[in-house]
Amino acid sequence: MRTAFTELTGVRHPIVGFNRSPAVVAAVTNAGGFGVLAASAYAPDELDAQLTWIEEQVRGRPYGVDLLVPERFAAGDPDDLIASLRAQIPAAHFAFVDDLLDRYGIPPTTTRDVAAEFAAGVSPAGVTALLDVAFQHRISLIANALGTPPPDLVARGKAAGVIVAALVGAPKHAARQLAAGVDLLIAQGTEAGGHTGTIATMVLTPEIVDRAGDTPVLAAGGIADGRQMAAALALGAAGVWCGSVWLSSHEDVANAAIKAKFVDVTSADTVRSPTRTGKPARQLRSAWHDEWERPGSPAPLPLPLQPLLTGEAWQRIDDAAAAGHEGALRLESFFVGQVVGSFTGLRPAAEITRTMAEECAARIAELGRAL
Amino acid sequence: MRTAFTELTGVRHPIVGFNRSPAVVAAVTNAGGFGVLAASAYAPDELDAQLTWIEEQVRGRPYGVDLLVPERFAAGDPDDLIASLRAQIPAAHFAFVDDLLDRYGIPPTTTRDVAAEFAAGVSPAGVTALLDVAFQHRISLIANALGTPPPDLVARGKAAGVIVAALVGAPKHAARQLAAGVDLLIAQGTEAGGHTGTIATMVLTPEIVDRAGDTPVLAAGGIADGRQMAAALALGAAGVWCGSVWLSSHEDVANAAIKAKFVDVTSADTVRSPTRTGKPARQLRSAWHDEWERPGSPAPLPLPLQPLLTGEAWQRIDDAAAAGHEGALRLESFFVGQVVGSFTGLRPAAEITRTMAEECAARIAELGRAL
């Protein structure tokens, strides 16, 4: 298939596989798509190791990274950033989370220093270190999932011949992204997993396409099979940016407990909630959301306070759920879009990529015969 | 174009035009689509006159009606249905609505007996009278927008050779509709205007198609141009059920004030709110919603109490807005989907129909060349 995205990148299928698992990224690229690693999940040395491993697998084929690069960084002395942020969280919020974990009997088995990782992710030094690692590798694309990319990121991308991409959830944001000089827009509809706006892919995609001029647009949100890919192309997209579907791949690193939950649920079982990151993000609905929505529960705090408040709790819930803990399984959740309702089991990521491309081509051919 | 819907109905374009304006219904049918009148907007004698007029215009071409037929009717003596429902509305709710209208200076110029119309719409005698009128005319399709059609409606449709259609907003509802014997399912995504669920068209349509077997499925929600129509067909739909787009037609009977508001707003300016009917319904966001969402405002009541509470208020707001009243213009709203952001002006309904069909065919041909 030939689209503006396949011409820009040289890939065979205009399918981006966005995931935090290096094995998914490599499998999608090697199947003829374009793998993109969620790099914010890693410390700089981890990211370096993961990108090195990916490059050994893809042997020159293109792949990219996705980072959460704020247009402006949090104010304050970076040395005590965590302390200053922690001081802004009301005691009642800490008590609510502690009590919630107690009532579900979640054991205190934190295996990682979540607060330090969090600080790295929001401090200028932390994000710059990840960017440095990314640009030391043979990436073909760098995407920013957190608004308009800052000017130095765009400049670095242009200098290195790396495609700079940015997600957009509303038409009014497209103009700023284009003015910032991005090479690729990703129109992400409300049905997507993770941080989303309120406008559906069906409406948002043509709106962004009409504003983008010659800049290619990928559609994101609600795309997990070949029919949905064909629909995205019909809307004017040059390809699809898929995140959730890879959570149904063997290669995805999510624990078996949450992957099993995903296979069981329907498209009506997600919720767009600010209770995890402080910004509305679509995720699997669980007892966690029931607890936060109960009368008398505190209101979620804004980003970056809410993830600082809840980060360790989620580490404990994930650990306990992975070990089969009953209370943790009730709370367990992860970011996923409405396409989760179509998961019927786990498949290899390469098979997902190829099947999507084949079904898309077949659907387009079938539509042509209906004319 | 040939689809299961064009074969079922004999129309040229698989485009349904759903609207309360007889002139829109006739124009869509005469342009090669399929007009469907929102019959619940009318008293029986009015409906009889409107259907007679439509038939004079379409001269044998197919059209249909859409009704709100509850699977079960509200309990209680029909003679004092309004009184018994009114008694269930807390005094604080009446006071809130009165105060709201006072603060915006809305004059008390009710031109219609809203309460009596409301009673007709929810009483068994009222709905049966509308059904009797519909079946006395040469309708080709009857759709129920309020859940599963009752058995006698399905039986009446089958006996008269009238296609029975039903809207569905979640996969779990499809099985009940199919078991009830409907001939056509309409998968309506969250981006649609009016009563909607939470699942987007991109996700819902293939889910319903996969459950529907040989029963054709139309996609609804987010469809106002040929690209979106092509996308709906790519998702497996046999055609599109469009509602909002006709609000940008010359023929639509909405007042000029609300039509002007529609042309001005973006896709981010709708809200799925229960404040008008008691069930979540997508509509243009206005000062009305700000008032209901303010801390201290009462919680909306369930259907049918909320429309009984607010029906007269909306009659007053619409009348005053049509006369250019400033406070009324701030409150003014109507049911509309996220596609409202694409309205750039008013066009003839026939032009909307033909342009959508032509652009859809062109888009499909273009996709075929990309293979």
Side-chain angles (χ1 to χ4, degrees), chain B residues 14-317:
Chain B
I15 299 172
V16 171
F18 167 62
N19 191 273
R20 59 180 169 157
S21 320
V24 170
V25 173
V28 172
T29 284
N30 281 338
F34 193 106
V36 170
L37 186 74
S40 295
Y42 298 99
D45 58 337
E46 290 176 324
L47 181 62
D48 185 46
Q50 306 293 16
L51 298 187
T52 300
W53 183 87
I54 289 171
E55 287 170 1
E56 286 166 9
Q57 311 305 310
V58 301
R59 286 161 296 167
R61 295 189 190 89
Y63 79 99
V65 297
D66 178 283
L67 280 162
L68 300 169
V69 187
E71 204 174 354
R72 285 173 298 278
F73 285 97
D77 180 353
D79 290 341
D80 59 2
L81 182 62
I82 291 291
S84 71
L85 290 174
R86 258 188 192 277
Q88 297 173 47
I89 298 178
H93 280 75
F94 282 117
F96 172 80
V97 172
D98 287 345
D99 176 63
L100 194 166
L101 296 176
D102 275 356
R103 282 187 289 112
Y104 284 79
I106 309 301
T109 56
T110 302
T111 49
R112 300 169 64 159
D113 186 349
V114 177
E117 286 176 24
F118 173 83
V122 295
S123 75
V127 175
T128 302
L130 288 176
L131 281 173
D132 287 345
V133 169
F135 278 106
Q136 282 155 17
H137 283 268
R138 293 184 47 186
I139 59 169
S140 296
L141 179 149
I142 189 158
N144 186 22
L146 208 68
T148 310
D152 58 327
L153 172 55
V154 177
R156 252 178 119 160
K158 302 270 183 214
V162 171
I163 300 161
V164 179
L167 271 77
V168 54
K172 66 180 173 187
H173 299 145
R176 285 179 59 213
Q177 306 271 30
L178 292 164
V182 301
D183 305 302
L184 179 69
L185 283 174
I186 299 139
Q188 180 173 278
T190 188
E191 55 268 64
H195 292 125
T196 56
T198 58
I199 308 166
T201 298
M202 198 81 165
V203 173
L204 183 67
T205 306
E207 288 188 309
I208 301 301
V209 166
D210 287 343
R211 282 161 178 79
D214 292 336
T215 304
V217 176
L218 301 182
I223 303 158
D225 73 15
R227 293 174 291 188
Q228 290 158 331
M229 180 178 168
L233 298 176
L235 294 170
V240 293
W241 174 280
C242 302
S244 302
V245 70
W246 316 107
L247 296 166
S248 70
S249 74
H250 292 304
E251 293 91 339
D252 183 88
V253 294
N255 70 61
I258 187 69
K259 288 168 94 170
K261 270 187 124 170
F262 285 159
V263 169
D264 275 348
V265 298
T266 78
S267 56
D269 294 322
T270 71
V271 62
R272 189 172 161 269
S273 166
T275 58
R276 190 148 175 177
T277 70
K279 286 179 71 174
R282 191 172 298 282
Q283 52 207 273
L284 184 67
R285 188 173 181 90
S286 77
W288 169 268
H289 307 95
D290 300 339
E291 295 294 341
W292 279 91
E293 291 170 14
R294 235 182 261 295
S297 296
L301 300 169
L303 184 78
L305 301 183
Q306 186 74 7
L308 183 59
L309 170 66
T310 64
E312 188 187 316
W314 276 106
Q315 188 66 47
R316 288 169 58 182
I317 294 167

Side-chain angles (χ1 to χ4, degrees), chain A residues 96 103 289-299:
Chain A
F96 173 79
R103 283 187 288 113
H289 307 94
D290 300 339
E291 295 293 343
W292 278 91
E293 291 170 14
R294 235 182 261 296
S297 297

Side-chain angles (χ1 to χ4, degrees), chain A residues 198 207 233-234 267 338 363, chain B residues 198 207 233-234 267 338 363:
Chain A
T198 58
E207 287 188 310
L233 298 176
S267 56
Q338 293 182 337
R363 190 75 198 119
Chain B
T198 58
E207 288 188 309
L233 298 176
S267 56
Q338 293 182 338
R363 190 75 199 121

Side-chain angles (χ1 to χ4, degrees), chain A residues 69-230:
Chain A
V69 187
E71 205 174 353
R72 285 174 297 277
F73 285 97
D77 179 354
D79 290 340
D80 60 1
L81 181 62
I82 291 292
S84 71
L85 290 174
R86 258 188 193 278
Q88 298 174 45
I89 299 178
H93 279 75
F94 282 116
F96 173 79
V97 172
D98 287 345
D99 176 64
L100 194 166
L101 296 176
D102 275 357
R103 283 187 288 113
Y104 283 79
I106 309 302
T109 57
T110 303
T111 50
R112 301 169 63 160
D113 186 349
V114 176
E117 287 177 22
F118 173 83
V122 295
S123 75
V127 174
T128 302
L130 288 176
L131 282 173
D132 287 345
V133 169
F135 278 106
Q136 281 155 19
H137 284 267
R138 292 184 49 187
I139 58 169
S140 297
L141 179 149
I142 190 157
N144 185 23
L146 208 67
T148 310
D152 59 328
L153 173 54
V154 177
R156 251 178 120 161
K158 302 269 183 214
V162 171
I163 300 160
V164 179
L167 271 77
V168 54
K172 66 179 172 188
H173 299 146
R176 284 179 60 212
Q177 307 271 29
L178 292 165
V182 302
D183 305 301
L184 179 69
L185 283 175
I186 300 140
Q188 180 173 277
T190 188
E191 54 268 66
H195 292 126
T196 56
T198 58
I199 307 166
T201 298
M202 197 82 165
V203 173
L204 183 67
T205 306
E207 287 188 310
I208 302 300
V209 167
D210 287 343
R211 282 161 178 77
D214 291 336
T215 304
V217 176
L218 301 181
I223 302 158
D225 74 15
R227 291 174 292 188
Q228 289 158 332
M229 179 178 168

